Amino acid sequence: MSPEEYCQQRAAASGSSFYHSFRFLEPTRRRAIIALYAFCREVDDVVDECRDVGVAAAKLEWWRGEVAALYHGGSPQHPVTRALKPWVGEFDLKEEHFQAIIDGMAMDLEPGRRYQDFDELRIYCHRAAGVVGLLAAAIFGYDNPRTLAYAEELGLALQLTNILRDIREDLLRGRLYLPLDELQRYGVDEAGLQAAIETGSSDSAIRTLLAFQAERAEQHYRRAFELLPEEDRYHQLSGVVMADIYHALLGRIIKRDYPVLRERVKLSLPFKLWLAWSSVRRERRRHKALKRA
């Protein structure tokens, strides 16, 4: 199996909404973004699948070496880093962004890690998702540097959506990404969240807390698209498709009154594909209108 085939298989097997947004890229950029996605999956799985913290930390250090080999004349060993190698120079992908992703994963290895406020959580979100947005924007292509601000803001919105969707799964793994000062503000504690998982029902205080998290994510989606320059919108088509799918997921969580401590809210594959097709159709019309103007 070639490095590209490995990455393709890794991305397809994930069933992620991200994968469906890549279908609309031309082949070169699609290969690059799939390699980036596979990298993110690999380092994320180190944290999620390795129960021994020491072993997981050692694996992340190994990945740091793989990234360094991409930039400093080494020979990457893993299929993912080998697949990334042609694109590092082609799209000016920054080493510090890959290392920041690993920094974000390392934060998940800190025993009992909690976030006192949103400023602390934002550091984690920047490392886990914001820099991924910057790398993706470089691969998709842009003319206006403001697009990078959009990309990081969109990465934050997507990560906040993930945090809300995955709260049950994360708590069962001993993780909590909701800021502690916000739990206190709404009269909720971690024990209450655990109890809601066990009973399958959330009280009004918990739902109000979750509604606050959802509204913050909504604000970051709005802010992202306020920042996106019109001339780069079509370049960033895959990111726009991603945003539409994740925003629809957030909308479903809100509409169903935040059942995230009881179950994982999902969108069906046909619905995600329909959303992607609708987004592409809308953006193509918008792009044609811009060219005629």
Side-chain angles (χ1 to χ4, degrees):
M1 183 186 296
S2 72
E4 279 193 8
E5 288 169 338
Y6 178 90
C7 292
Q8 177 71 32
Q9 187 178 86
R10 193 80 167 83
S14 73
S16 168
S17 302
F18 288 85
Y19 179 66
H20 301 300
S21 73
F22 304 155
R23 296 170 181 264
F24 308 100
L25 287 166
E26 52 91 6
T28 298
R29 296 182 192 276
R30 185 166 63 247
R31 291 195 294 271
I33 196 68
I34 286 175
L36 170 61
Y37 179 78
F39 172 83
C40 294
R41 288 263 36 97
E42 291 288 341
V43 295
D44 189 59
D45 285 352
V46 167
V47 174
D48 286 346
E49 297 180 2
C50 188
R51 295 185 179 181
D52 187 308
V53 172
V55 172
K59 287 184 175 182
L60 289 181
E61 283 304 309
W62 183 86
W63 275 106
R64 290 189 192 280
E66 281 288 282
V67 170
L70 280 173
Y71 290 89
H72 303 290
S75 298
Q77 301 173 44
H78 197 280
V80 167
T81 31
R82 287 162 57 199
L84 276 169
K85 192 169 185 178
W87 314 122
V88 165
E90 176 77 15
F91 297 113
D92 193 25
L93 306 181
K94 306 297 186 186
E95 179 183 3
E96 60 264 30
H97 291 159
F98 285 103
Q99 297 291 4
I101 294 169
I102 298 174
D103 289 341
M105 298 306 101
M107 291 174 75
D108 282 333
L109 296 181
E110 298 173 23
R113 183 73 161 90
R114 296 295 182 264
Y115 298 89
Q116 294 301 317
D117 53 34
F118 185 64
D119 286 342
E120 279 193 17
L121 180 63
R122 189 163 190 152
I123 294 169
Y124 172 78
C125 291
H126 166 74
R127 293 172 177 173
V131 293
V132 179
L134 296 174
L135 289 164
I139 291 170
F140 298 154
Y142 64 92
D143 296 316
N144 189 327
R146 282 184 58 213
T147 295
L148 294 178
Y150 143 82
E152 183 159 5
E153 193 74 13
L154 180 58
L156 177 57
L158 299 179
Q159 186 66 18
L160 292 174
T161 304
N162 277 339
I163 286 171
L164 188 58
R165 178 195 64 190
D166 296 342
I167 183 172
R168 181 179 186 276
E169 180 181 330
D170 288 331
L171 279 165
L172 292 174
R173 286 177 169 159
R175 299 177 193 158
L176 178 64
Y177 297 100
L178 304 186
L180 296 183
D181 66 338
E182 293 171 9
L183 267 69
Q184 185 177 21
R185 184 189 313 162
Y186 289 98
V188 176
D189 60 19
E190 195 166 337
L193 295 173
Q194 293 285 1
I197 291 176
E198 293 170 9
T199 63
S201 62
S202 302
D203 62 25
S204 60
I206 291 175
R207 290 195 300 275
T208 303
L209 169 68
L210 297 178
F212 177 79
Q213 308 303 314
E215 176 53 31
R216 176 159 55 210
E218 289 273 12
Q219 289 172 6
H220 286 289
Y221 282 112
R222 289 194 293 269
R223 175 64 175 155
F225 283 96
E226 287 170 0
L227 289 167
L228 178 58
E230 190 66 35
E231 65 268 28
D232 279 341
R233 191 175 175 111
Y234 197 67
H235 289 313
Q236 298 294 315
L237 177 60
S238 283
V240 174
V241 171
M242 249 184 281
D244 285 346
I245 293 173
Y246 267 74
H247 192 235
L249 173 64
L250 180 64
R252 179 162 295 183
I253 291 170
I254 295 168
K255 186 175 182 180
R256 294 187 58 195
D257 200 23
Y258 312 99
V260 289
L261 288 164
R262 183 177 68 249
E263 61 184 283
R264 182 183 173 96
V265 178
K266 299 179 180 179
L267 302 177
S268 70
L269 177 58
F271 184 58
K272 286 192 282 191
L273 292 174
W274 177 83
L275 276 173
W277 175 81
S278 299
S279 299
V280 170
R281 190 179 180 195
R282 180 195 68 224
E283 294 303 319
R284 283 177 177 164
R285 287 198 302 265
R286 185 171 183 150
H287 182 61
K288 287 178 182 178
L290 181 64
K291 288 175 71 175
R292 288 195 301 266

